[in-house]
Amino acid sequence: MKITVIGTGYVGLVQGVILSEFGHKVVCLDIDERKIENLKKGILPIYEPGLKDILDRNVAEGRLQFTTNKEYALENSEVIFIAVGTPPAEDGSADLTYVLDCAKDIGKNIKDYVVVVNKSTVPVGTGDLVEETIENELVKRTLNLEFDVVSNPEFLREGKAVNDCLRPDRVVVGTESKKAQVIMKKIYDVLYINKTPFVFTNRRTSEMIKYASNAFLAVKISFINEIALLAEKVGANTQEIATAMGMDGRISPKFLHCGPGYGGSCFPKDTAAIVEIGKEYGEDMSVIAAAISANEKQKQKMVEKIVREMNGISGKTICVLGLSFKPDTDDVRDAPSIDIIKGLIENGANIKAYCPKGIKEAKWRLEAYNNKIKYCKDEESSTQDAEAIVLMTEWNQFRGINLEELKNRMKDNFYFDLRNVHTKNCKVRSLFKYYPVGQK
């Protein structure tokens, strides 16, 4: 099928590349000329394991193109995916400016029946707004064209997005149109044949599924983090608590890992958005709101713990290992590292930081604090003469770090393992003043 994907950010680029891998003719459209020129050269704007190889192969085989030409991309498409950002507004609600701009462009350029697919994470009722916006543009053109708007939310995990597209847990499609449903099955024919579970529902239910899924996972993380805070005080072990809880089939072990709090492009934004949706409809989303508050508290508790155990940190050098919100991504959006580093600096610390992929983005997100931060080329230089290590992100290379050499490079031997990477290493407690999360 002839498919256009509008937006070459995280979701749009991965979706477009994988759709071309499924055998479709895909055009990725973006207004950012520099980004498109780089993509034509095989230069990706994001770090995502495995994506470049698939992109290069499909470009070479003629199934994948990149353009800034809206008319070329939209007028001959059979299916158009909207995969642009929905950043949070000041009140936490989703800003639909980019989505509705796409809808206007679609209405101005289509010449025949198309299925318009909302891939962006959008509030309930956005499909209606997109439909209305396209119809208004068609009226201006005095055209009476048939089209359908479908909700097809993404469930990609950064660092594992390629696999999540190729082998998803489920595909959710929201539409009342049988014609559009048939076309969506054809788009995902590879997955349909392979018995991937499909959920066909109405558009508003589909839009709600995305928010409900992310909100539940955020609640689960905040829950185990609050248990961890209590476990430290009563002398319990949160990892063992989580293991035992996870053996209950009603609970499952996933997302029961305590740490410094959640971050990234989805959980903070989507939890805030669903709380605002609740306000709009007169429903207090108290559980989700509490999870948001607990997540903010968790980051502050990590700062307080470091300050307390080091008997103050003014003038001391602290090494932060990992800046991205999770391993295998360069994404630092709302990462716990940002707020924790700010908190440490505000308490007088000097920071040395290293991350395999997150330094470039962290530099501009922490621009106001950069006079107190030294960004290092590797973990060796970042830990040299540090008085404390704060392991923030569980990159694999940090799991295998030589602890004896690490201690010898340090000025003091405080080690705050915020991801519990080394809790089972019998050497760590003899070498360091070691502080994991959720246990003594």
Side-chain angles (χ1 to χ4, degrees), residues 350-378:
N350 298 304
I351 303 296
K352 296 176 76 174
Y354 169 68
C355 184
K357 295 294 179 181
I359 290 177
K360 182 178 179 181
E361 186 179 337
K363 281 183 177 179
W364 69 263
R365 291 192 181 275
L366 287 165
E367 185 176 3
Y369 294 81
N370 280 345
N371 64 325
K372 289 287 187 177
I373 306 171
K374 180 180 180 180
Y375 295 96
C376 301
K377 64 179 180 178
D378 51 36

Side-chain angles (χ1 to χ4, degrees), residues 17 32 53 107 112 130 133 145 198 208 212 251 267 274 279 287 350 364 395 405 439:
V17 170
D32 189 330
D53 290 343
D112 206 343
V130 169
T133 303
L145 289 181
F198 274 66
M208 190 72 177
I251 296 175
F267 288 0
I274 197 169
K279 289 179 182 177
V287 172
N350 298 304
W364 69 263
W395 287 85
E405 292 180 2
Q439 57 184 280

Side-chain angles (χ1 to χ4, degrees), residues 18-37:
I18 298 303
L19 286 172
S20 68
E21 181 75 357
F22 288 167
H24 301 295
K25 293 278 188 178
V26 178
V27 176
C28 289
L29 171 66
D30 202 294
I31 61 173
D32 189 330
E33 293 183 4
R34 182 178 178 183
K35 184 188 287 188
I36 291 297
E37 288 305 310

Side-chain angles (χ1 to χ4, degrees), residues 238-258:
T238 309
Q239 285 181 300
E240 294 175 6
I241 293 169
T243 298
M245 286 177 62
M247 292 175 180
D248 189 324
R250 299 167 300 175
I251 296 175
S252 98
K254 294 182 178 179
F255 287 83
L256 282 180
H257 303 288
C258 58

